[in-house]
Amino acid sequence: MIDIENRFKGWLKGQGPKPPLGTWLMAAAPATAEAMGYSGFDFLVVDMEHVPIEVSDLAHILRAIGCTPADAVVRLAWNDQVLVKRVLDAGAQTIMLPFVQTAEEARQAVSFAKYPPEGVRGVAAVHRGSRFGRAADYLKRANDQIAVIVQLETPEAIERLPEIAAVPGIDALFVGPGDLAAAMGHIGNIAHADVQALIERAARIAQEAGKPVGIVGPNPDMVRRFIGYGYSYVAVASDIAMMTSRASEWLGALRGDAAPAPVAPAAAY
């Protein structure tokens, strides 16, 4: 039997690394995705929201990640029925939907990701998700194996966290620190005390609701802070951020420049 088990969904339930550590993929390149997958990260976020990645590109990136020990999380451009269907058919198993504001929007996200009777996902016999039809039990198992993560990116969404978390089929939450800071009037500054206080509060509310919650930080120090707040899974920076910061560091050393500025704590994805 061809395996379609979603390891990351098990990790969200505590059946794996604690906490799972990942990074963002902004390069839109299979080679970079594969290299990062061999670098020790537990998961890699393929960003289709802010990166020019189309579904055809996604399939190649997922193939590259699939060669490595890492798992893929696909962040879609929007909570859209057609986009969800196409991304799942391309082989994604864990999807993240941005800017979910209400429980109703969360219910829509779940319905888009599930086959009837639990949802409205369209049925096709042969696609990459079903291993091109070779996973004979795919249609029966897919609803249980797909993981749905919704992003909370405003103070209003954080306030509604308990009701969003209670929606059946929502496997985890994710706090978007960059958009949260912007919505709070502190665009570009996730380190602001008010933003940090709400980020910490979100983790506490999620724990009380019994729902895993993730976040991304620009550097290890910020990520350690988020883990201390109680976040269940955390990403650090991105492939591009790591590459450019290392390049600046080495060029500074060769040219005798002053120590390069660190990646700004505002950097979030």
Side-chain angles (χ1 to χ4, degrees):
M1 181 180 296
I2 295 176
D3 182 30
I4 62 165
E5 182 178 358
N6 184 348
R7 288 191 310 164
F8 190 80
K9 189 166 184 175
W11 294 350
L12 291 174
K13 298 175 182 177
Q15 302 166 1
K18 297 179 182 178
L21 297 175
T23 192
W24 233 253
L25 297 181
M26 306 293 286
T32 306
E34 186 176 7
M36 299 305 278
Y38 281 120
S39 296
F41 291 105
D42 300 308
F43 67 95
L44 304 171
V45 180
V46 185
D47 192 346
M48 300 182 73
E49 181 182 11
H50 293 297
V51 179
I53 295 175
E54 304 302 330
V55 175
S56 55
D57 306 314
L58 173 66
H60 294 306
I61 293 170
L62 291 177
R63 287 188 186 99
I65 296 172
C67 297
T68 78
D71 272 29
V73 175
V74 179
R75 201 256 294 273
L76 279 71
W78 196 244
N79 185 12
D80 176 87
Q81 181 176 354
V82 174
L83 289 176
V84 171
K85 173 177 60 178
R86 298 198 68 201
V87 164
L88 294 178
D89 286 355
Q93 286 191 294
T94 301
I95 58 172
M96 184 188 299
L97 291 309
F99 208 77
V100 170
Q101 291 285 86
T102 66
E104 178 55 34
E105 291 177 359
R107 278 189 285 272
Q108 289 177 341
V110 173
S111 72
F112 298 159
K114 305 288 186 180
Y115 287 128
E118 296 175 51
V120 295
R121 179 184 174 189
V123 176
V126 178
H127 49 67
R128 188 171 181 275
S130 68
R131 311 303 189 260
F132 302 98
R134 305 314 297 170
D137 59 347
Y138 180 82
L139 294 178
K140 295 180 179 178
R141 295 187 62 202
N143 282 0
D144 291 334
Q145 294 303 316
I146 299 301
V148 178
I149 302 172
V150 293
Q151 278 192 251
L152 311 183
E153 304 184 75
T154 66
E156 294 80 9
I158 301 299
E159 289 302 315
R160 300 184 190 112
L161 190 156
E163 58 193 81
I164 293 173
V167 171
I170 293 298
D171 296 289
L173 310 170
F174 191 94
V175 173
D179 283 292
L180 183 63
M184 295 176 69
H186 304 295
I187 190 167
N189 186 12
I190 70 170
H192 190 281
D194 291 345
V195 179
Q196 286 292 309
L198 190 52
I199 287 173
E200 183 175 14
R201 182 165 177 262
R204 186 170 62 252
I205 298 172
Q207 288 176 336
E208 292 169 354
K211 190 66 65 175
V213 61
I215 196 167
V216 57
N219 53 55
D221 288 340
M222 186 73 77
V223 166
R224 286 192 205 97
R225 184 188 300 187
F226 291 156
I227 292 171
Y229 290 165
Y231 278 86
S232 315
Y233 59 104
V234 187
V236 57
S238 70
D239 50 359
I240 293 291
M242 294 181 198
M243 178 177 68
T244 56
S245 61
R246 189 67 161 170
S248 295
E249 178 188 344
W250 282 7
L251 280 170
L254 290 170
R255 290 172 174 163
D257 297 340
V263 176
Y269 310 97

